[in-house]
Amino acid sequence: ILTSNHVIQGVDKIRVSLSDGRNFDAEAIGKDKLTDLAVVKIDGEDLSVIRFGDSDALEVGEWVLAVGHPFRQYNTVTQGIVSAKGRKHLYFGRTTPTYQNFIQTSAAINQGNSGGALVNLKGELIGVNAAIISPTRGYTGYSFAIPADIVEKVVKDLEEYGQVQRAIMGVTITDVAADLVKEKGLNRI
């Protein structure tokens, strides 16, 4: 079972409640703070599996559904559209992931939606609900989800290795802003 790392971070016991009323004790098999994703395992029968969709093929304006348990209201679904893709440089407080490439959506993702599914109208997982940016800590128009293409790689690595395998290039990439042009004496093209 996939969820947000911040949902299970620092807990001694994990309990999973399914929409059919069954409850299971769960074990964390892998956590990744850098993407804020985690995989937990339960032992059960007749479990449903969601198909991964192609988050790269998502288009701005496409309808999506956010599934979760906001404010302890179980099995809640909200709808909205993809407002933007590739959102970076966002700050979510203590749970801000290092690697950011968020799907921005108008579907309400409130406290308790973290780790829930963002699905397309085919019912495919195209993202994992991550956070909102709000001065009131409640829904004010934009929410963010981790794209399925990132989620799928993280899940495979957590299941196989217990951690995410990453290549490191040894460089830092940044935008070339006016102050950097002046500081480094760069020519503008």
Side-chain angles (χ1 to χ4, degrees), residues 33-114:
K33 286 184 178 183
L34 299 178
T35 56
D36 192 29
L37 291 169
V39 175
V40 299
K41 180 182 178 185
I42 62 173
D43 290 320
E45 295 179 11
D46 299 320
L47 301 172
S48 299
V49 177
I50 191 168
R51 287 184 323 270
F52 276 90
D54 185 355
S55 56
D56 284 339
L58 271 179
E59 298 202 23
V60 172
E62 188 173 334
W63 286 95
V64 292
L65 305 171
V67 182
H69 305 298
F71 308 112
R72 298 188 185 270
Q73 300 303 308
Y74 295 98
N75 305 317
T76 299
V77 177
T78 58
Q79 56 83 28
I81 62 166
V82 173
S83 308
K85 293 172 52 177
R87 289 292 195 216
K88 296 174 175 45
H89 311 298
L90 302 174
Y91 178 71
F92 304 133
R94 293 187 332 230
T95 62
T96 298
T98 301
Y99 293 111
Q100 295 190 11
N101 183 25
F102 291 103
I103 299 166
Q104 181 178 312
T105 177
S106 63
I109 297 176
N110 285 301
Q111 294 174 4
N113 278 95
S114 293

Side-chain angles (χ1 to χ4, degrees), residues 9-23:
Q9 187 175 355
V11 299
D12 296 325
K13 185 176 180 181
I14 302 169
R15 187 109 171 120
V16 173
S17 299
L18 302 181
S19 58
D20 63 10
R22 293 185 290 166
N23 295 295

